[in-house]
Amino acid sequence: MKVLVTGGLGYIGSHTCVQLIAAGHQPIVIDNLSNSKLEVLNRVEAISGVRPVFHQGDVRDEAFLAGVFAEYDVQAVIHFAGLKAVGESVAKPLEYYDNNVNGSLVLARAMRSAGVKNIIFSSSATVYGDPQEVPITEDAPTGATTNPYGRSKYMVEECFRDLFAAEDDWSITLLRYFNPVGAHSSGTMGEDPQGIPNNLMPFIAQVAVGRREKLAVFGDDYPTPDGTGVRDYVHVVDLADGHLAALNALTDKAGLHIYNLGTGKGSSVLDMVHAFSAACGHDVAYEVQPRRPGDIAECWASTAKAEQDLGWKAQRDVSQMTVDTWRWQSQNPQGYQE
Ligand SMILES: NC(=O)c1ccc[n+]([C@@H]2O[C@H](COP(=O)([O-])OP(=O)(O)OC[C@H]3O[C@@H](n4cnc5c(N)ncnc54)[C@H](O)[C@@H]3O)[C@@H](O)[C@H]2O)c1
């Protein structure tokens, strides 16, 4: 089927395009290249043997979207496009709400005009805020997030909830990702943050490859087994497969569906540092610093609902995540080059 993939040249979008093509679907990619490079298209083509259709443009541009829907017989949309840096969102709330919330509304309006009512949206475990219990199930309370990025995800979820309440012929799937990491096993595609990485794994990888001196570990006095924060890391290719499962299970089945995409297992910051050292064959330097405001102690997913309804379960463990990240980082020390 023809699937419009917004933000399809980004980290998760590019891996999802590869999995879509492998499954016989045709991704139509749009991206404004604010956080990605055209080189990604070459990499997707090299892996898949198919060069996806690509149009450079912005999801907030309704006329641009109308043109894309008019040109292709799109049956479903996977909506990755957005800004994702928590710290930056505190400094630039208007940009985050405009891109993430307004962008999703413009997209939904353009979809309705085009008669396309199947959408999968990239939400985040951040909508759960500081969870009352782990593992976190999909019916846990949401909305108590502490930063504009998290609130933008929560707001888009609420907008889609209200849209479905008003127009029940939509099929809307909200996927709440836990912590996506890893890279394609070829070593040719992976996460390529611009500037200082916001997330743990790319930071560790850049220390390991010599681009940065050492990792800052924020807090070692949390109530966790080794005192450092615990998260549910999920391999990006498993995550991409989760989108495929959602697409297969739900397209054209009207409803509002919500799934966690995680592994159901928690790993601490130091677990990840040690796993990465094993993958790259040398120590990764780190230094403990005070806790950061807003960080929570631990968080991992209940995966039962996705497994039961979508038949999806993450296959790759932490060792695979670090081995694949290291292959990508060591083969592309400066990320994608154009
Ligand atoms: N990576 C994570 O840790 C994580 C966790 C939870 C949720 N998410 C969400 O998943 C989605 C994809 O994340 P990612 O890690 O692949 O991020 P990414 O930045 O690598 O990819 C997003 C892509 O969207 C593009 N883009 C941004 N704004 C756009 C706009 N207005 N119009 C068109 N294109 C635009 C960027 O150029 C980029 O290629 C995001 O919505 C993100 O918030 C990511």
Side-chain angles (χ1 to χ4, degrees):
M1 105 179 52
K2 286 194 177 64
V3 183
L4 180 69
V5 184
T6 78
L9 296 190
Y11 173 46
I12 305 169
S14 56
H15 288 82
T16 302
C17 284
V18 166
Q19 299 307 96
L20 284 169
I21 293 168
H25 297 295
Q26 189 183 338
I28 313 292
V29 174
I30 61 174
D31 201 301
N32 67 0
L33 300 178
S34 61
N35 197 35
S36 52
K37 302 207 174 95
L38 265 180
E39 171 62 16
V40 176
L41 265 186
N42 300 333
R43 307 287 175 106
V44 172
E45 182 180 11
I47 294 170
S48 315
V50 174
R51 190 173 185 82
V53 170
F54 173 67
H55 291 276
Q56 183 174 346
D58 197 295
V59 288
R60 292 165 293 181
D61 181 344
E62 200 162 346
F64 164 69
L65 294 177
V68 173
F69 283 118
E71 190 170 347
Y72 306 96
D73 181 21
V74 170
Q75 282 150 287
V77 175
I78 306 183
H79 178 33
F80 293 108
L83 302 177
K84 63 165 181 174
V86 170
E88 187 185 58
S89 78
V90 176
K92 299 181 176 176
L94 295 183
E95 283 83 347
Y96 271 68
Y97 290 124
D98 183 42
N99 218 308
N100 294 2
V101 182
N102 184 36
S104 299
L105 298 182
V106 173
L107 175 65
R109 219 162 40 221
M111 289 177 65
R112 183 171 56 188
S113 299
V116 180
K117 296 198 168 183
N118 300 313
I119 184 164
I120 296 175
F121 171 64
S122 300
S123 189
S124 166
T126 190
V127 299
Y128 295 118
D130 194 353
Q132 282 156 12
E133 56 186 8
V134 282
I136 306 173
T137 55
E138 286 83 348
D139 55 8
T142 55
T145 46
T146 55
N147 56 74
Y149 167 71
R151 275 193 282 276
S152 76
K153 291 292 173 190
Y154 173 69
M155 285 178 194
V156 176
E157 286 202 0
E158 293 295 289
C159 292
F160 279 130
R161 224 186 276 279
D162 289 342
L163 174 60
F164 181 71
E167 300 178 22
D168 63 7
D169 56 342
W170 281 76
S171 173
I172 300 170
T173 304
L174 311 177
L175 297 180
R176 293 177 179 155
Y177 311 156
F178 279 64
N179 291 69
V181 297
H184 191 263
S185 59
S186 62
T188 60
M189 275 189 359
E191 190 169 6
D192 182 21
Q194 313 298 305
I196 299 171
N198 299 295
N199 294 335
L200 176 67
M201 188 73 131
F203 207 110
I204 295 179
Q206 291 192 6
V207 174
V209 85
R211 264 173 79 176
R212 300 191 186 274
E213 192 195 341
K214 60 186 163 200
L215 171 75
V217 175
F218 296 109
D220 66 352
D221 56 352
Y222 285 105
T224 60
D226 65 19
T228 65
V230 168
R231 300 287 181 273
D232 183 339
Y233 296 94
V234 55
H235 196 293
V236 66
V237 176
D238 280 328
L239 200 65
D241 285 339
H243 291 73
L244 215 64
L247 193 67
N248 293 339
L250 300 165
T251 307
D252 287 333
K253 209 181 282 173
L256 181 97
H257 316 277
I258 303 177
Y259 296 103
N260 288 338
L261 295 184
T263 63
K265 295 188 190 75
S267 302
S268 73
V269 175
L270 293 183
D271 288 338
M272 299 307 282
V273 169
H274 296 140
F276 208 94
S277 298
C280 72
H282 58 84
D283 284 348
V284 174
Y286 68 88
E287 176 184 80
V288 175
Q289 292 190 6
R291 293 183 184 191
R292 279 184 308 196
D295 278 353
I296 59 174
E298 58 182 10
C299 155
W300 64 88
S302 164
T303 58
K305 190 173 177 220
E307 195 173 346
Q308 192 179 325
D309 291 8
L310 306 179
W312 175 85
K313 192 170 164 45
Q315 304 296 320
R316 295 162 181 83
D317 63 10
V318 162
S319 163
Q320 188 72 54
M321 297 175 205
T322 52
V323 165
D324 287 340
T325 303
W326 178 239
R327 192 180 296 112
W328 152 252
Q329 186 69 71
S330 53
Q331 290 180 18
N332 303 268
Q334 301 301 325
Y336 294 112
Q337 300 293 304
E338 289 188 316

